[in-house]
Amino acid sequence: MVSVLLPVSLLLAVLLLIPEVFGDFTAYQIGLYLIYGIAAQGIGYLWGKTGVLPLGQALFFGFSAYVTASTLRAGNGLGIDLLLAFTVLAAIAVLAFLLATLIFRGRKESGPYFSLITLALVMIAEQIAGTATPLTGGFNGMSGFPSLGNLDPFGSFYYVIAAATVLVSLLLFILNRLPVNLIAKAVADNEPRLQLLGFPTHVIKGAAFAFSAAIAALAGGLFASHQGIVTPTSMGFGLSAEMVILTAVGGRFHVLGPLIGAVIVGWASAELRDSFPYWELLMALAFILVVLKAPGGIAELLETVYRRIRPATPGRRAPSIAAPPSKPTNASGALRFDDVHLQIGVVRILNGVTFDTPSTGIISVIGPNGAGKTSTLNAITGNLQITGGSIALGSRNIHARPPYKALRSGIGRKLQVPSVFFSMNVSDNLALAMMANRARLVDLLRPATLHWRSESLTELLKRPAVPLQEDLVAPVAHLPQGHRQFLEYAMTIASEPRVLLLDEPCAGLSPDETALMTELVRTYQAQTGGLVIVIEHDMSIVQAISDKVLVLHLGQVLAFDSFDKVRSNPEVQAVYAGGTK
Ligand SMILES: Nc1ncnc2c1ncn2[C@@H]1O[C@H](COP(=O)(O)OP(=O)(O)OP(=O)(O)O)[C@@H](O)[C@H]1O
């Protein structure tokens, strides 16, 4: 809690001292910088955590500013004004959520589409604001309305801005300690893995965008009241870009970064504007310098200096909490491919794959490079959409589903190259996996959820040969390949899926580690009674673990039988002639 209260108390103290030390006029100027800083904090949250860069945030800022101006002009009284303000914030958040989920739905990555669409929207909005004169006052804008509660913009209204700044910062600091923060960060880190853990990333990005839009709208309302005039530039691309610059300069990874950026850039611009004709050039150069040399912005530089003086001490590890059981998935029965075709452009990857697995056991998938093994798993989890035929698990067709629904259908997937969250430590990776298919919305707002452990995961971590126990606080980026393989395996089984898809789980493992991994897979299958499908090149492993072997070649099934029968199959021998692979 100290990590929240200390910076927030310091912020409060500094903001309260400003009018006392510098006087009302400076407080008025800083009030404006803080308003931009609040909007930039919203951008920082979205961009710094999820990696999604919004280029049209002034759309919400300006819209809210216009609505606030009209409301204040109508003179309804403080109560109605506040009620309307909350209604506008909520409406903007809902609209932003719908817009973002619509754009992100069906897209695998964040990509530049979203940024470009927000850019286009704010340009349209600025045009409309400039031409819809009866509503907005056209290019002259709206003016002549009182401040909220008739407070003096050059006096007491500063304290309203200071209060909003502290509250937004407090909220962001609290969010940083909750599981939702980990999930938001996981989007930027490895979105495909998060989807395979059952998280609908388009909804997560939509929620983060809605939150940042509501913060921009709050800032817009304060702006109208503070400035007493709203013009189309308050809803324009120029302001949107400026807010992004403030965020980048101040530091998008820190709660207070955007505020620092807004105050420093605002103050420097005001100082230079009158004394130096090329001040905009100087500001642009400063921006380029920060982006190139200090991508984490001023806040990160300050933190580096602070950490030199006071190195971080490793916190005490909180005791584990028994995780609730996984949500039932109703996954049962055999996996059935019926004449499955998969084509991307002119590349025909699967050409009529048909097989029917038993409902339990270990199936190995073998075949030469490029045979279509990984694509077969991709078709099951929805990472690739099939172009013909059907895939069913038990009595339910599963082929038209997006990847985040695979786990909800009881299918866990480990990828060929270990796919984990590289910017996080092992503990956070496991925490995300423990939430998969377990956490309800309310659990994502409880810090205790971060300490969930299931019995099976605890058992796995207790095994002396599993190299994860001593790695818990180690950044994943520093782990050797073998440890990453075990981590991804542990993450995949954390939600106890009934169907386990493992793509070369022993690749890069030492002989001892390989023996351990095969034993873990066998034990998991025996304990759950589920179906495990393993892609494997090493025939000794295939022989040791398989109940049946599926041989693929050129996107078709060459054989599907016991290991011995497959080994003596002349067609398989012909394909494998000359090597063990
Ligand atoms: N997204 C994609 N776009 C275009 N071609 C693809 C795509 N995914 C796979 N392919 C092609 O489909 C073929 C089968 O690929 P796949 O990865 O399924 O093979 P594999 O049997 O798993 O091979 P390996 O043992 O090398 O991993 C390859 O020729 C590959 O280049």
Side-chain angles (χ1 to χ4, degrees), residues 108 342-345 347-350 365-378 383-384 416 503-504 535-537 552-555:
K108 285 182 193 150
L342 203 167
Q343 182 165 349
I344 297 177
V347 187
R348 292 169 64 182
I349 300 173
L350 301 182
V365 184
I366 64 168
N369 293 111
K373 303 180 293 293
T374 298
S375 302
T376 298
L377 299 197
N378 278 335
N383 292 86
L384 290 177
Q416 189 169 0
D503 200 340
E504 301 193 33
I535 296 179
E536 186 49 68
H537 284 291
L552 292 178
H553 181 48
L554 299 175

